PDB file of all heavy atoms in Angstrom:
ATOM      1  N   MET U  16       0.892  -1.172  -0.052  1.00  0.00           N
ATOM      2  CA  MET U  16      -0.032  -0.071  -0.013  1.00  0.00           C
ATOM      3  C   MET U  16       0.969   1.260   0.017  1.00  0.00           C
ATOM      4  O   MET U  16       1.861   1.455   0.748  1.00  0.00           O
ATOM      5  CB  MET U  16      -0.932  -0.001   1.303  1.00  0.00           C
ATOM      6  CG  MET U  16      -1.793   1.164   1.237  1.00  0.00           C
ATOM      7  SD  MET U  16      -2.798   1.170   2.794  1.00  0.00           S
ATOM      8  CE  MET U  16      -3.798  -0.325   2.414  1.00  0.00           C
ATOM      9  N   PRO U  26      -8.874   9.996   6.189  1.00  0.00           N
ATOM     10  CA  PRO U  26     -10.091  10.911   6.271  1.00  0.00           C
ATOM     11  C   PRO U  26     -11.420  10.074   6.335  1.00  0.00           C
ATOM     12  O   PRO U  26     -12.309  10.278   7.157  1.00  0.00           O
ATOM     13  CB  PRO U  26     -10.057  11.853   5.227  1.00  0.00           C
ATOM     14  CG  PRO U  26      -8.576  11.757   4.789  1.00  0.00           C
ATOM     15  CD  PRO U  26      -8.029  10.485   5.062  1.00  0.00           C
ATOM     16  N   VAL U  41     -27.184  10.723  19.660  1.00  0.00           N
ATOM     17  CA  VAL U  41     -28.698  10.684  19.480  1.00  0.00           C
ATOM     18  C   VAL U  41     -29.323   9.712  20.261  1.00  0.00           C
ATOM     19  O   VAL U  41     -30.337   9.904  21.029  1.00  0.00           O
ATOM     20  CB  VAL U  41     -28.966  10.379  17.911  1.00  0.00           C
ATOM     21  CG1 VAL U  41     -30.401  10.064  17.811  1.00  0.00           C
ATOM     22  CG2 VAL U  41     -28.568  11.529  17.111  1.00  0.00           C
ATOM     23  N   ASN U  44     -29.377  10.807  24.002  1.00  0.00           N
ATOM     24  CA  ASN U  44     -30.440  11.938  24.144  1.00  0.00           C
ATOM     25  C   ASN U  44     -31.797  11.185  24.256  1.00  0.00           C
ATOM     26  O   ASN U  44     -32.577  11.549  25.101  1.00  0.00           O
ATOM     27  CB  ASN U  44     -30.577  12.958  22.951  1.00  0.00           C
ATOM     28  CG  ASN U  44     -29.191  13.878  23.078  1.00  0.00           C
ATOM     29  OD1 ASN U  44     -28.750  14.046  24.162  1.00  0.00           O
ATOM     30  ND2 ASN U  44     -28.860  14.435  21.964  1.00  0.00           N
ATOM     31  N   SER U  61     -47.489  13.345  41.255  1.00  0.00           N
ATOM     32  CA  SER U  61     -47.044  14.232  40.080  1.00  0.00           C
ATOM     33  C   SER U  61     -48.433  14.604  39.390  1.00  0.00           C
ATOM     34  O   SER U  61     -49.127  13.753  39.000  1.00  0.00           O
ATOM     35  CB  SER U  61     -46.239  13.558  39.160  1.00  0.00           C
ATOM     36  OG  SER U  61     -46.177  14.264  37.873  1.00  0.00           O
ATOM     37  N   ASP U  80     -63.935  24.400  31.014  1.00  0.00           N
ATOM     38  CA  ASP U  80     -63.872  25.002  32.252  1.00  0.00           C
ATOM     39  C   ASP U  80     -65.013  24.804  33.225  1.00  0.00           C
ATOM     40  O   ASP U  80     -65.027  25.094  34.379  1.00  0.00           O
ATOM     41  CB  ASP U  80     -63.792  26.530  32.132  1.00  0.00           C
ATOM     42  CG  ASP U  80     -65.084  27.075  31.534  1.00  0.00           C
ATOM     43  OD1 ASP U  80     -65.748  26.346  30.878  1.00  0.00           O
ATOM     44  OD2 ASP U  80     -65.352  28.343  31.728  1.00  0.00           O
ATOM     45  N   ALA U  83     -66.097  18.860  36.883  1.00  0.00           N
ATOM     46  CA  ALA U  83     -66.572  17.428  36.651  1.00  0.00           C
ATOM     47  C   ALA U  83     -67.989  17.181  37.087  1.00  0.00           C
ATOM     48  O   ALA U  83     -68.795  16.418  36.363  1.00  0.00           O
ATOM     49  CB  ALA U  83     -65.586  16.596  37.325  1.00  0.00           C
ATOM     50  N   THR U  90     -74.647  16.263  31.152  1.00  0.00           N
ATOM     51  CA  THR U  90     -74.425  15.129  30.180  1.00  0.00           C
ATOM     52  C   THR U  90     -75.638  14.150  30.448  1.00  0.00           C
ATOM     53  O   THR U  90     -76.339  13.759  29.482  1.00  0.00           O
ATOM     54  CB  THR U  90     -73.059  14.335  30.395  1.00  0.00           C
ATOM     55  OG1 THR U  90     -72.020  15.192  29.977  1.00  0.00           O
ATOM     56  CG2 THR U  90     -73.116  13.058  29.481  1.00  0.00           C
ATOM     57  N   THR U  92     -78.554  14.669  31.818  1.00  0.00           N
ATOM     58  CA  THR U  92     -79.733  15.449  31.575  1.00  0.00           C
ATOM     59  C   THR U  92     -79.955  15.606  30.049  1.00  0.00           C
ATOM     60  O   THR U  92     -81.095  15.280  29.435  1.00  0.00           O
ATOM     61  CB  THR U  92     -79.841  16.845  32.092  1.00  0.00           C
ATOM     62  OG1 THR U  92     -79.681  16.684  33.525  1.00  0.00           O
ATOM     63  CG2 THR U  92     -81.069  17.631  31.797  1.00  0.00           C
ATOM     64  N   ALA U 102     -86.818   9.278  20.135  1.00  0.00           N
ATOM     65  CA  ALA U 102     -88.084   8.467  20.257  1.00  0.00           C
ATOM     66  C   ALA U 102     -89.331   9.152  19.725  1.00  0.00           C
ATOM     67  O   ALA U 102     -90.120   8.695  19.063  1.00  0.00           O
ATOM     68  CB  ALA U 102     -88.369   8.141  21.663  1.00  0.00           C
ATOM     69  N   LEU U 125     -98.206  18.103   8.124  1.00  0.00           N
ATOM     70  CA  LEU U 125     -97.777  18.693   9.418  1.00  0.00           C
ATOM     71  C   LEU U 125     -96.830  17.863  10.115  1.00  0.00           C
ATOM     72  O   LEU U 125     -95.917  18.397  10.712  1.00  0.00           O
ATOM     73  CB  LEU U 125     -99.078  18.936  10.140  1.00  0.00           C
ATOM     74  CG  LEU U 125     -99.026  19.404  11.639  1.00  0.00           C
ATOM     75  CD1 LEU U 125     -98.465  20.786  11.650  1.00  0.00           C
ATOM     76  CD2 LEU U 125    -100.418  19.213  12.427  1.00  0.00           C
ATOM     77  N   LYS U 146     -68.929  18.831  23.599  1.00  0.00           N
ATOM     78  CA  LYS U 146     -68.212  20.117  23.905  1.00  0.00           C
ATOM     79  C   LYS U 146     -67.890  20.227  25.409  1.00  0.00           C
ATOM     80  O   LYS U 146     -66.850  20.770  25.735  1.00  0.00           O
ATOM     81  CB  LYS U 146     -69.021  21.182  23.366  1.00  0.00           C
ATOM     82  CG  LYS U 146     -68.997  21.388  21.866  1.00  0.00           C
ATOM     83  CD  LYS U 146     -69.969  22.409  21.450  1.00  0.00           C
ATOM     84  CE  LYS U 146     -70.166  22.451  19.962  1.00  0.00           C
ATOM     85  NZ  LYS U 146     -71.089  23.616  19.583  1.00  0.00           N
ATOM     86  N   GLY U 156     -80.116   0.839  20.814  1.00  0.00           N
ATOM     87  CA  GLY U 156     -80.310   0.173  22.061  1.00  0.00           C
ATOM     88  C   GLY U 156     -80.254   1.137  23.201  1.00  0.00           C
ATOM     89  O   GLY U 156     -80.962   1.057  24.195  1.00  0.00           O
ATOM     90  N   ALA U 159     -83.202   3.299  23.518  1.00  0.00           N
ATOM     91  CA  ALA U 159     -84.366   2.445  24.010  1.00  0.00           C
ATOM     92  C   ALA U 159     -84.278   2.416  25.503  1.00  0.00           C
ATOM     93  O   ALA U 159     -85.229   2.479  26.278  1.00  0.00           O
ATOM     94  CB  ALA U 159     -84.440   1.223  23.407  1.00  0.00           C
ATOM     95  N   GLN U 162     -84.840   6.436  26.756  1.00  0.00           N
ATOM     96  CA  GLN U 162     -86.069   7.269  26.455  1.00  0.00           C
ATOM     97  C   GLN U 162     -87.129   7.129  27.482  1.00  0.00           C
ATOM     98  O   GLN U 162     -87.381   6.147  28.119  1.00  0.00           O
ATOM     99  CB  GLN U 162     -86.573   6.795  25.092  1.00  0.00           C
ATOM    100  CG  GLN U 162     -87.355   5.446  25.196  1.00  0.00           C
ATOM    101  CD  GLN U 162     -87.797   4.982  23.858  1.00  0.00           C
ATOM    102  OE1 GLN U 162     -87.057   4.488  22.925  1.00  0.00           O
ATOM    103  NE2 GLN U 162     -89.179   5.130  23.461  1.00  0.00           N
ATOM    104  N   GLU U 173    -106.548   6.086  15.285  1.00  0.00           N
ATOM    105  CA  GLU U 173    -107.351   6.966  14.629  1.00  0.00           C
ATOM    106  C   GLU U 173    -106.525   8.320  14.416  1.00  0.00           C
ATOM    107  O   GLU U 173    -105.715   8.711  15.317  1.00  0.00           O
ATOM    108  CB  GLU U 173    -108.531   7.385  15.588  1.00  0.00           C
ATOM    109  CG  GLU U 173    -109.654   6.299  15.564  1.00  0.00           C
ATOM    110  CD  GLU U 173    -110.486   6.289  14.218  1.00  0.00           C
ATOM    111  OE1 GLU U 173    -110.443   7.283  13.466  1.00  0.00           O
ATOM    112  OE2 GLU U 173    -111.124   5.218  14.110  1.00  0.00           O
ATOM    113  N   ASN U 185     -95.499  16.277  23.158  1.00  0.00           N
ATOM    114  CA  ASN U 185     -94.693  17.476  23.076  1.00  0.00           C
ATOM    115  C   ASN U 185     -94.799  18.493  24.341  1.00  0.00           C
ATOM    116  O   ASN U 185     -93.821  19.142  24.594  1.00  0.00           O
ATOM    117  CB  ASN U 185     -95.195  18.402  21.862  1.00  0.00           C
ATOM    118  CG  ASN U 185     -94.504  17.786  20.493  1.00  0.00           C
ATOM    119  OD1 ASN U 185     -93.354  18.184  20.241  1.00  0.00           O
ATOM    120  ND2 ASN U 185     -95.116  16.817  19.742  1.00  0.00           N
ATOM    121  N   ARG U 186     -95.922  18.392  24.970  1.00  0.00           N
ATOM    122  CA  ARG U 186     -96.161  19.219  26.183  1.00  0.00           C
ATOM    123  C   ARG U 186     -95.107  18.661  27.318  1.00  0.00           C
ATOM    124  O   ARG U 186     -94.525  19.395  28.087  1.00  0.00           O
ATOM    125  CB  ARG U 186     -97.602  19.217  26.679  1.00  0.00           C
ATOM    126  CG  ARG U 186     -98.505  20.080  25.918  1.00  0.00           C
ATOM    127  CD  ARG U 186     -99.819  20.361  26.577  1.00  0.00           C
ATOM    128  NE  ARG U 186    -100.597  19.059  26.508  1.00  0.00           N
ATOM    129  CZ  ARG U 186    -101.455  18.900  25.511  1.00  0.00           C
ATOM    130  NH1 ARG U 186    -101.565  19.730  24.474  1.00  0.00           N
ATOM    131  NH2 ARG U 186    -102.106  17.759  25.515  1.00  0.00           N
ATOM    132  N   ALA U 190     -91.858  20.443  29.167  1.00  0.00           N
ATOM    133  CA  ALA U 190     -91.655  20.447  30.636  1.00  0.00           C
ATOM    134  C   ALA U 190     -90.158  19.848  31.016  1.00  0.00           C
ATOM    135  O   ALA U 190     -89.445  20.398  31.855  1.00  0.00           O
ATOM    136  CB  ALA U 190     -92.677  19.591  31.421  1.00  0.00           C
ATOM    137  N   LEU U 192     -87.555  19.856  29.000  1.00  0.00           N
ATOM    138  CA  LEU U 192     -86.621  20.861  28.510  1.00  0.00           C
ATOM    139  C   LEU U 192     -86.438  21.934  29.669  1.00  0.00           C
ATOM    140  O   LEU U 192     -85.218  22.467  29.737  1.00  0.00           O
ATOM    141  CB  LEU U 192     -87.078  21.390  27.205  1.00  0.00           C
ATOM    142  CG  LEU U 192     -86.815  20.508  25.987  1.00  0.00           C
ATOM    143  CD1 LEU U 192     -87.571  21.032  24.848  1.00  0.00           C
ATOM    144  CD2 LEU U 192     -85.377  20.383  25.695  1.00  0.00           C
ATOM    145  N   TRP U 214     -85.507  25.470  21.804  1.00  0.00           N
ATOM    146  CA  TRP U 214     -86.121  24.122  21.626  1.00  0.00           C
ATOM    147  C   TRP U 214     -87.516  24.124  22.421  1.00  0.00           C
ATOM    148  O   TRP U 214     -88.464  23.426  21.955  1.00  0.00           O
ATOM    149  CB  TRP U 214     -85.400  23.008  22.019  1.00  0.00           C
ATOM    150  CG  TRP U 214     -84.057  22.832  21.144  1.00  0.00           C
ATOM    151  CD1 TRP U 214     -84.026  23.046  19.816  1.00  0.00           C
ATOM    152  CD2 TRP U 214     -82.756  22.477  21.607  1.00  0.00           C
ATOM    153  NE1 TRP U 214     -82.813  22.887  19.440  1.00  0.00           N
ATOM    154  CE2 TRP U 214     -81.997  22.401  20.549  1.00  0.00           C
ATOM    155  CE3 TRP U 214     -82.367  21.951  22.864  1.00  0.00           C
ATOM    156  CZ2 TRP U 214     -80.661  22.001  20.537  1.00  0.00           C
ATOM    157  CZ3 TRP U 214     -80.965  21.588  22.846  1.00  0.00           C
ATOM    158  CH2 TRP U 214     -80.122  21.555  21.776  1.00  0.00           C
ATOM    159  N   GLU U 217     -90.026  25.995  20.042  1.00  0.00           N
ATOM    160  CA  GLU U 217     -90.381  25.121  18.976  1.00  0.00           C
ATOM    161  C   GLU U 217     -91.264  23.958  19.476  1.00  0.00           C
ATOM    162  O   GLU U 217     -92.293  23.683  18.733  1.00  0.00           O
ATOM    163  CB  GLU U 217     -89.159  24.438  18.372  1.00  0.00           C
ATOM    164  CG  GLU U 217     -88.253  25.419  17.557  1.00  0.00           C
ATOM    165  CD  GLU U 217     -87.034  24.760  17.124  1.00  0.00           C
ATOM    166  OE1 GLU U 217     -86.687  23.704  17.440  1.00  0.00           O
ATOM    167  OE2 GLU U 217     -86.301  25.460  16.318  1.00  0.00           O
ATOM    168  N   GLU U 219     -93.356  24.011  22.169  1.00  0.00           N
ATOM    169  CA  GLU U 219     -94.563  24.481  22.374  1.00  0.00           C
ATOM    170  C   GLU U 219     -95.372  24.840  21.156  1.00  0.00           C
ATOM    171  O   GLU U 219     -96.628  24.680  21.177  1.00  0.00           O
ATOM    172  CB  GLU U 219     -94.462  25.729  23.331  1.00  0.00           C
ATOM    173  CG  GLU U 219     -93.985  25.493  24.766  1.00  0.00           C
ATOM    174  CD  GLU U 219     -93.743  26.702  25.603  1.00  0.00           C
ATOM    175  OE1 GLU U 219     -93.421  27.872  25.028  1.00  0.00           O
ATOM    176  OE2 GLU U 219     -93.883  26.671  26.756  1.00  0.00           O
ATOM    177  N   PHE U 224     -99.972  23.602  17.594  1.00  0.00           N
ATOM    178  CA  PHE U 224    -100.650  23.122  16.354  1.00  0.00           C
ATOM    179  C   PHE U 224    -101.346  21.875  16.364  1.00  0.00           C
ATOM    180  O   PHE U 224    -102.532  21.686  15.877  1.00  0.00           O
ATOM    181  CB  PHE U 224     -99.458  22.983  15.350  1.00  0.00           C
ATOM    182  CG  PHE U 224     -99.181  24.277  14.495  1.00  0.00           C
ATOM    183  CD1 PHE U 224     -98.897  25.421  15.215  1.00  0.00           C
ATOM    184  CD2 PHE U 224     -99.161  24.370  13.108  1.00  0.00           C
ATOM    185  CE1 PHE U 224     -98.639  26.690  14.557  1.00  0.00           C
ATOM    186  CE2 PHE U 224     -98.890  25.582  12.490  1.00  0.00           C
ATOM    187  CZ  PHE U 224     -98.503  26.699  13.269  1.00  0.00           C
ATOM    188  N   LEU U 225    -100.805  21.070  17.171  1.00  0.00           N
ATOM    189  CA  LEU U 225    -101.487  19.617  17.299  1.00  0.00           C
ATOM    190  C   LEU U 225    -102.765  19.801  18.166  1.00  0.00           C
ATOM    191  O   LEU U 225    -103.802  19.085  17.813  1.00  0.00           O
ATOM    192  CB  LEU U 225    -100.440  18.629  18.003  1.00  0.00           C
ATOM    193  CG  LEU U 225     -99.330  18.195  17.165  1.00  0.00           C
ATOM    194  CD1 LEU U 225     -98.269  17.577  18.152  1.00  0.00           C
ATOM    195  CD2 LEU U 225     -99.742  17.247  16.085  1.00  0.00           C
ATOM    196  N   GLU U 227    -104.750  22.571  18.307  1.00  0.00           N
ATOM    197  CA  GLU U 227    -105.689  23.126  17.457  1.00  0.00           C
ATOM    198  C   GLU U 227    -106.254  22.122  16.382  1.00  0.00           C
ATOM    199  O   GLU U 227    -107.412  22.227  16.001  1.00  0.00           O
ATOM    200  CB  GLU U 227    -105.109  24.437  16.806  1.00  0.00           C
ATOM    201  CG  GLU U 227    -104.828  25.492  17.742  1.00  0.00           C
ATOM    202  CD  GLU U 227    -106.168  26.106  18.395  1.00  0.00           C
ATOM    203  OE1 GLU U 227    -107.127  25.818  17.874  1.00  0.00           O
ATOM    204  OE2 GLU U 227    -106.029  26.700  19.482  1.00  0.00           O
TER     205      GLU U 227
END
Side-chain angles (χ1 to χ4, degrees):
M16 181 180 294
V41 171
N44 289 335
S61 167
D80 64 334
T90 293
T92 298
L125 175 66
K146 287 174 188 176
Q162 73 181 77
E173 287 286 345
N185 277 279
R186 282 191 291 269
L192 284 168
W214 296 328
E217 291 177 349
E219 289 179 332
F224 273 50
L225 291 163
E227 291 295 341

